[in-house]
Structures are given as structure tokens and as C-alpha cells.
Amino acid sequence: MKKIKIILMGLLVISLSSCKDFLDMTPTNSADADQAIKTPKDAAVVINGIMRSMTSSSYYGRDFLLYGDAKGGDFTVFSQGRGSDGLYTFNHAANIGSYASFWSQIYYCILQVNNLLENIEKQEASGVTGFNTIKGQALTARAMMYFDLVRLYGKVYDQDKSAFGVPLVLTKLTTDVQPLRATVEQNYIQIVKDLTDAAPLLPKTKINGYINYYANKATLAKVYLYMKSYGEALTAAEEVINAPSMYTLYTNANWVSSWTTQYGSESIFELAMVPLENDLGNSSLGIYHRRRSHGVTAALGFFVASDYFIARLNQDAADVRKGVMAADEISTTRMGALYKYSGNTALAGDGKAGNSTAVNIKVIRLSEVYLIAAEAALISDPAKAVGYLNAIRKRAPNLAPATAGTINLDMILQERSKELYGEGHRFFDMMRTNQTIEFNDEVGALSVPHRTKTINRTFYKTILPIGDAELNANPPIRAQQNPGY
């Protein structure tokens, strides 16, 4: 069998030095990794490092969530050149604007997971026990990482599941391997396998900042929704919704203030942002969402809400979700600046001594699971879908509740837009449901030569190119570059 060479050797060298900042032991992907993990306590330190890696600015800490919002039509750009507007304008090519840091950072996280799992396997073979929770967290995290990668670099599952996805790397890599791309379907099969294998290993209690059984099930529900396996998605979602005394939806009265709190009642998986450790400071997600110069001059007004989103939110003047919006630089009356990730419009943060840049990342909230359940039940049980949708729709108290006769996919997608705005979902929702995205370019009178005003998933730039760094490090994968690049 033809040997293939390592993914991103340069990345690995850089990563090995940088990971010392968050691991208190020899990193699991260093030369003496086999000696790093001897006990469950050792493994817990490593899983902490993996959670920290996931909060990188190149992943959940900022860019991955920006990607899901900037491309979905709910965000727009008032002035080009302030940073990351290439996401909005689709200015992507293999040699420039490829956002290759997604590939490198997420695969770095996967390498950490793989090394952790292999070390655990060795310890278990020698008779050491007590690793189940860590193993379940690692498998679930790997599933999330591959789910994110295949959505960035592969076609939508029901569009062409035989198309190229991303390389499946499930073991330690030697220096002479060049992983080739699996299919989208193979990626999803592995994602479901990891989640299924992990579930019985995980506790059904809250573990703030880490993955438990219900975070696993919520992820599985989301994956099945993307696969259009609606029965399985509904089953997984309802297991989370019906978890006894675990999670409750925020009331209308406390929805806005929930953003000033860590690990609230809706928090199923929340990544900790810790001052002096992984706080991104003036490069944080909250800074990218704020009004220009609010709090610090580094807030440049990178992104604002589109007219389309503002109109959607204004369908009910009493919609509680307007409480995390404030005036942007365009107008004192245009409520286009988002403050979820600053805590609130007064920059309160989420309880870390007034620090408004180290706000935790809400990866999975209960409200999303309700909306997954509504969509999954839409065809088979409209009455059930209505119940789940209205539990969220009532955050706009003057809107007529959905009924079995009025509920439809567009209504659910609109509710997802309003509820999950700024949390990195809209673009992926539009792609998986085969919607047309319209961009509000006229807000900033933008010149956008890289896409048209409206796009759908047939547009080749809805999938990122594999960047030159990877193509050069792994020449065989060049023949598998995404079409159009």
C-alpha cells in the first residue's frame, strides 16, 4: 500500500511549542507522549488542554462562529478592510484568503485527541481503569471537529454525500503519511460512530466547561438533522429536552441577563474563556460584534446586522432578543451591533470581574435543541413540532403562535435566525436546507467581485479551498482540491 506523508508538519512543530501554555505535562503529541498519561488525572489535564485548543481564535474562540454568521445573510459589512470581511465577500483562493487556519487548528485538535485515546488504550490494556469519562469526552470532541471540518470543506450531505469530505485521521501519524480525503458520507459515518461509542461512557450530570452525556446527544441530534435522518434527530433531541432536572429554557424575563452568566440553565456545552489563559482580549468574538470604538478603540465595527435580520427581529417590538442589540456606527437608531459575547450592551461580561472579552462560548444551548426537535418533527408530527417551536417563538410575545396549519420550514429557520444570531449557525442552516442567501451589500456600498448578491449551495465558494500550505505538504491531495479553485 502506498505510503502517505504527514499532515501539516510545519503546524505540528509550531503546535508542540504553543501547547505548553495550556498543558501541565508533556503534550500528548510530543516525542515522549507514551510516557505522558499514566492515570485518569493525567488524562483529565490533557482533555483540559484540548478544550483550550478549541477556544483558539481560529476555531470556536472567534473565526468559526464568524464564518457561520458572516456568510449567511444576517450579517453585513459597513466598511471593508477592517478585518475578516473576506468571509463576507467570499474572497477565497488556495493561495490567499483560504482561511487555512481552520484546517490546521482543527486537525491539531484532532491530533491531540488521537494521541490521548491511544495512550488511554495502552493504559487500559495494562489494567488501569477510570478513563471512561475522558474517553467519552475525547470521542465526542473528535466527532464535533470532523463535523465542523466536513461542513467547511465538503458538500452538504444530501447534496452529494459521495463528494470529497476531509481526511479521516484516527490514529497517530508517522512522518511518511499523506492522508487523502474521505467522502462526505464516510466522514458522517465516523462522526456518528464516535458519538455512539462515546455516549455510554459519559456521565448524565453537568460538567461545566466539558462534555457530558447530554452534550453528546445534542450533538448527535444536530448531526442527524444535517443528514435528514429526522426520526433519529428527534429521538436524540427529546432525550436532552426530557432530561430530568438538567436544563430549562430561559424565561423571557431572564433571556437577556443570561448572557452575563456562565453555565446557565440552557448551557449544554459551553467552552470556558479564562482571563490570562485563553482570553482573546481585543481579538475576541465580542469585539468583532460591537459598535465601533465601544469600550476600546480596537472595536472596529467589523460586522453589523443586515437590514434583513433587523427587519426579522422587528416583527415584534417586544421581542426580548432585541435586548442584546444596540446602535451601530451607521445610525443611532439602527440596532445592528450585537452584544451577546460582551455580556450585555453595558459590556458586563459574564461574571469574570467585569471582563467583557473573556465571555464563554456557548457551543450548544437548549434552545437550539428545541429548534432541532421542531424541524425534525415537522413532517412526521406537526403538532409536536408546533410545541417545540412555540417554546422559543414566545420570546416574541406579540407574534401569533405557530399552529399545525401554519408551521413550515421557513418559520423554523426564521426562529433559528433570531434565537441563534451571532452563534455561528445561519450559513450552515441555509446550505443544508438548500436556501438562497441574499446579501445586504448596499449597507456599506460594497464592491464584491467574488460573488453575486444572491447565492445558493451550487456556488463553488460556499466550500473552502484546501490551502497551499497543505497542498505543498501533502502533494497527492492536490488532485482532490475542491472544484473551482
Side-chain angles (χ1 to χ4, degrees), residues 39-344:
T39 68
K41 184 177 179 180
D42 294 337
V45 174
V46 176
I47 204 72
N48 182 67
I50 291 169
M51 296 297 106
R52 289 290 183 270
S53 293
M54 292 177 73
T55 62
S56 161
S57 62
S58 297
Y59 200 10
Y60 281 107
R62 190 188 66 211
D63 290 350
F64 184 71
L65 301 192
L66 287 179
Y67 184 98
D69 287 311
K71 293 176 168 295
D74 283 356
F75 275 27
T76 189
V77 173
F78 177 59
S79 179
Q80 286 176 296
R82 294 179 179 179
S84 296
D85 51 83
L87 291 173
Y88 177 79
T89 62
F90 287 70
N91 186 12
H92 307 313
N95 63 339
I96 187 170
S98 67
Y99 289 86
S101 57
F102 287 133
W103 182 283
S104 59
Q105 182 62 27
I106 299 175
Y107 269 113
Y108 168 56
C109 293
I110 289 170
L111 290 176
Q112 288 185 296
V113 169
N114 290 344
N115 290 327
L116 173 60
L117 290 171
E118 289 195 21
N119 276 276
I120 287 175
E121 185 178 355
K122 288 179 181 179
Q123 294 304 317
E124 288 181 330
S126 68
V128 183
T129 60
F131 290 105
N132 277 1
T133 294
I134 300 300
K135 187 193 300 185
Q137 290 178 347
L139 286 168
T140 303
R142 186 170 72 182
M144 290 179 175
M145 294 166 193
Y146 273 117
F147 183 51
D148 296 338
L149 278 169
V150 74
R151 288 186 292 158
L152 290 169
Y153 293 98
K155 290 186 177 182
V156 176
Y157 186 85
D158 74 326
Q159 181 185 10
D160 185 1
K161 61 186 178 182
S162 66
F164 286 128
V166 295
L168 280 173
V169 181
L170 306 176
T171 60
K172 289 182 184 178
L173 292 174
T174 59
T175 57
D176 61 345
V177 295
Q178 293 173 327
L180 298 176
R181 299 175 73 179
T183 66
V184 168
E185 183 175 29
Q186 288 169 329
N187 288 152
Y188 273 85
I189 288 171
Q190 183 62 46
I191 291 163
V192 171
K193 181 181 186 304
D194 275 351
L195 291 170
T196 303
D197 289 348
L201 305 175
L202 290 164
K204 295 183 178 181
T205 54
K206 288 187 177 181
I207 320 174
N208 288 342
Y210 299 89
I211 295 165
N212 71 355
Y213 177 84
Y214 296 106
N216 173 287
K217 288 296 179 180
T219 304
L220 184 63
K222 185 172 180 177
V223 170
Y224 276 137
L225 189 71
Y226 275 66
M227 298 172 72
K228 291 187 165 50
S229 296
Y230 295 126
E232 290 87 347
L234 181 60
T235 297
E238 289 188 321
E239 189 167 0
V240 178
I241 291 168
N242 297 325
S245 305
M246 288 293 294
Y247 309 103
T248 56
L249 289 173
Y250 299 132
T251 65
N252 281 14
N254 66 15
W255 189 91
V256 173
S257 64
S258 72
W259 293 94
T260 65
T261 304
Q262 300 174 55
Y263 311 114
S265 67
E266 280 199 19
S267 180
I268 298 172
F269 179 40
E270 182 171 321
L271 285 166
M273 301 296 285
V274 182
L276 304 181
E277 289 187 25
N278 60 337
D279 177 11
L280 298 177
N282 288 339
S283 297
S284 71
L285 189 62
I287 292 288
Y288 274 66
H289 288 168
R290 285 184 203 173
R291 178 175 64 252
R292 183 177 176 87
S293 297
H294 189 184
V296 291
T297 57
L300 298 180
F302 296 92
F303 295 100
V304 296
S306 68
D307 290 339
Y308 314 137
F309 175 78
I310 292 173
R312 187 175 300 126
L313 202 57
N314 283 342
Q315 289 171 353
D316 179 4
D319 193 318
V320 298
R321 292 163 296 200
K322 297 176 73 172
V324 292
M325 306 297 293
D328 55 34
E329 68 176 291
I330 301 171
S331 162
T332 57
T333 60
R334 190 181 191 277
M335 307 298 280
L338 174 65
Y339 285 81
K340 282 181 177 178
Y341 283 107
S342 292
N344 62 13

Side-chain angles (χ1 to χ4, degrees), residues 363-430:
V363 180
I364 306 172
R365 292 195 292 119
L366 183 62
S367 57
E368 181 188 356
V369 180
Y370 268 77
L371 292 166
I372 289 171
E375 189 175 339
L378 180 61
I379 297 173
S380 63
D381 193 340
K384 180 177 283 190
V386 163
Y388 289 131
L389 177 60
N390 283 338
I392 309 302
R393 188 174 170 85
K394 68 182 182 182
R395 289 174 179 167
N398 296 317
L399 288 186
T403 68
T406 62
I407 191 171
N408 56 37
L409 178 60
D410 185 62
M411 186 181 289
I412 295 171
L413 290 176
Q414 286 204 30
E415 202 59 42
R416 286 182 64 91
S417 166
K418 291 185 283 187
E419 179 66 23
L420 303 175
Y421 178 71
E423 298 176 57
H425 295 272
R426 182 62 171 176
F427 172 72
F428 298 118
D429 284 344
M430 298 294 273

